[in-house]
């Protein structure tokens, strides 16, 4: 019985520590990015360029991905309101799959954004790579990051820790329960990983 009790106590302590770590990491991310995300176009200060983070243009069912279209709407809004001059569309490009090209085409043909202001980044395989390539490859530090709000916090955490003068413009979220709660829960854990990697000095590739 004593062994079982010790195992139970150890498990309970581990659970408490896990919950505390999740809370600590998320509070850190929120604290570092506080006041740097915007939902209203009239409130956000202008920047040189927008960095639009990639996602699949279509769902598994083949229908348009609302996360994708809402991000394109947000990027277009920034341009048409004179908040930015150029746009980097960053995402994955692989055989038979090209997020940056899909984003560029949508912005041109659906949103009326001029082709010559759009830069394709085909090696934005994850959030961290997109942020780092924006700074190191394209030499852009004064940026507005465009994604849904839950994602923008982690993106801004990466940007701020890489000495970028970044703001976040939140694209409209998708409120369907099956995707909303899944994405929120996944992002809570992703922030923990981001903080751990930062503390350890490891790149989250």
């Amino acid at each position: 019985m004593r062994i079982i009790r010790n195992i139970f106590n150890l498990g309970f302590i581990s659970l408490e520590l896990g919950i505390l770590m999740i809370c600590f990491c998320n509070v850190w991310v929120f604290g570092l990015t506080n006041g740097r995300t915007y939902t209203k176009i009239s409130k956000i200060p202008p920047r040189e360029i927008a960095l639009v983070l990639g996602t699949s243009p279509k769902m598994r069912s083949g229908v348009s991905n609302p996360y994708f279209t809402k991000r394109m709407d947000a990027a277009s809004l920034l341009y048409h309101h004179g908040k930015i001059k150029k746009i980097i569309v960053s995402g994955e490009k692989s055989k038979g799959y090209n997020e940056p090209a899909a984003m560029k085409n949508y912005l041109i043909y659906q949103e009326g954004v001029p082709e010559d202001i759009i830069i394709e980044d085909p090696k934005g395989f994850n959030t961290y790579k997109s942020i780092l390539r924006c700074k190191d490859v394209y030499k852009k530090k004064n940026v507005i990051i465009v994604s849904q709000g839950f994602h923008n916090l982690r993106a801004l955490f990466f940007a701020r820790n890489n000495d970028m003068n970044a703001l976040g413009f939140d694209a409209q979220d998708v409120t369907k329960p099956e995707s909303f709660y899944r994405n929120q829960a996944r992002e809570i854990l992703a922030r923990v990983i981001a903080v751990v990697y930062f503390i350890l000095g490891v790149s989250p590739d």
Side-chain angles (χ1 to χ4, degrees):
M1 288 297 294
R2 180 177 295 178
I3 294 174
I4 295 175
R5 190 180 300 112
N6 288 340
I7 292 173
F8 178 81
N9 289 336
L10 182 62
F12 185 74
I13 292 170
S14 298
L15 179 62
E16 283 187 321
L17 290 174
I19 293 172
L20 285 173
M21 185 176 182
I22 291 172
C23 292
F24 167 77
C25 292
N26 277 268
V27 167
W28 188 350
V29 172
F30 275 95
L32 190 65
T33 60
N34 184 44
R36 301 190 72 86
T37 59
Y38 296 82
T39 57
K40 294 183 178 180
I41 192 67
S42 60
K43 299 293 185 182
I44 189 166
R47 284 287 188 271
E48 179 186 358
I49 198 163
L51 172 65
V52 188
L53 300 177
T55 187
S56 175
K58 293 188 180 298
M59 308 288 280
R60 290 181 180 178
S61 62
V63 301
S64 295
N65 180 359
Y67 289 97
F68 176 91
T69 56
K70 297 303 182 185
R71 291 183 197 183
M72 300 308 106
D73 291 345
S76 169
L77 197 63
L78 287 170
Y79 172 75
H80 289 301
H81 279 76
K83 298 293 184 175
I84 54 169
K85 296 179 180 179
K86 290 186 178 293
I87 300 172
I88 296 175
V89 288
S90 181
E92 178 184 347
K93 180 182 179 182
S94 54
K95 187 176 181 180
Y97 184 79
N98 194 333
E99 287 178 358
M103 289 191 279
K104 182 177 181 179
N105 288 335
Y106 194 98
L107 287 170
I108 294 170
Y109 299 110
Q110 302 297 324
E111 303 284 2
V113 176
E115 181 177 358
D116 61 352
I117 74 153
I118 304 172
I119 302 166
E120 291 184 60
D121 172 23
K123 295 184 179 180
F125 297 113
N126 57 43
T127 304
Y128 185 76
K129 283 186 179 293
S130 292
I131 297 295
L132 210 59
R133 285 175 58 80
C134 180
K135 176 191 173 187
D136 294 340
V137 177
Y138 300 102
K139 309 299 181 184
K140 304 298 182 183
K141 296 176 67 175
N142 298 312
V143 301
I144 296 175
I145 301 170
V146 178
S147 187
Q148 273 70 31
F150 64 86
H151 186 202
N152 261 344
L153 293 176
R154 179 162 53 97
L156 278 173
F157 178 80
F158 289 140
R160 296 279 285 158
N161 284 321
N162 279 282
D163 299 318
M164 295 174 67
N165 185 19
L167 302 173
F169 187 55
D170 295 346
Q172 185 178 343
D173 209 341
V174 179
T175 55
K176 291 182 178 180
E178 62 270 22
S179 60
F180 179 82
Y181 293 112
R182 180 182 67 245
N183 286 327
Q184 293 290 336
R186 184 172 60 187
E187 195 61 32
I188 287 171
L189 296 178
R191 290 177 199 137
V192 174
I193 295 171
V195 170
V196 170
Y197 276 134
F198 174 70
I199 292 172
L200 297 177
V202 178
S203 299
D205 296 332

